[in-house]
Amino acid sequence: MTTSSDHTFELEAATGADGVLYVEVAGDLAWDAADELLDVARAHLSAAPHVSDIRVDCARLTLCDSMGLSVLLALHRDTAAAGVRLCLERRPAVLDRLLLLTGTYEHLTGQPESAGPDGPTPTDEADPRLPRR
């Protein structure tokens, strides 16, 4: 089976008056375009040292491969070193699944692995609707 990607990568970034860098990503955060996110964030961090947060809106993200994950980890490292909070907002299931599979969910989201995109989710034992094992 041959698949083709119709999801080109798009990125928009702007620093708000509140000192927050707002970044919206769309399409595939993959090997051929992932560095663009890191380059844009680093450029904004060096040009505007007063940035307090970087909020990445991932709602239109369609794929994140290993290079995309590597960029997110590098971005997290850069923001932590600069004392800036990184927030991956409106994460699609495909991104959460990758973060959970690679053990990077809590590291990149600041939430325990039992949390979903909308906050904590019940564990099997805590949900009375699920059968006991």
Side-chain angles (χ1 to χ4, degrees), residues 1-6:
M1 180 172 143
T2 305
T3 58
S4 65
S5 176
D6 296 328

Side-chain angles (χ1 to χ4, degrees), residues 91 95-97 99-100 102-117 119:
R91 296 179 313 276
L95 180 57
D96 275 348
R97 190 169 23 257
L99 300 181
L100 288 167
T102 59
T104 58
Y105 185 90
E106 188 169 350
H107 181 71
L108 288 174
T109 68
Q111 299 173 334
E113 287 190 7
S114 61

Side-chain angles (χ1 to χ4, degrees), residues 29-108:
L29 185 60
W31 67 271
D32 57 343
D35 281 338
E36 186 178 342
L37 172 59
L38 193 55
D39 293 343
V40 165
R42 285 177 173 167
H44 276 81
L45 280 173
S46 63
H50 63 281
V51 170
S52 61
D53 294 8
I54 295 180
R55 297 188 172 276
V56 182
D57 183 345
C58 302
R60 295 178 41 218
L61 190 69
T62 53
L63 176 127
C64 183
D65 70 2
S66 59
M67 185 62 180
L69 178 59
S70 177
V71 162
L72 292 175
L73 290 167
L75 181 57
H76 183 274
R77 185 176 53 246
D78 289 354
T79 56
V84 174
R85 279 183 305 204
L86 175 64
C87 303
L88 301 178
E89 299 178 334
R90 300 187 333 148
R91 296 179 313 276
V94 67
L95 180 57
D96 275 348
R97 190 169 23 257
L98 175 67
L99 300 181
L100 288 167
L101 285 171
T102 59
T104 58
Y105 185 90
E106 188 169 350
H107 181 71
L108 288 174

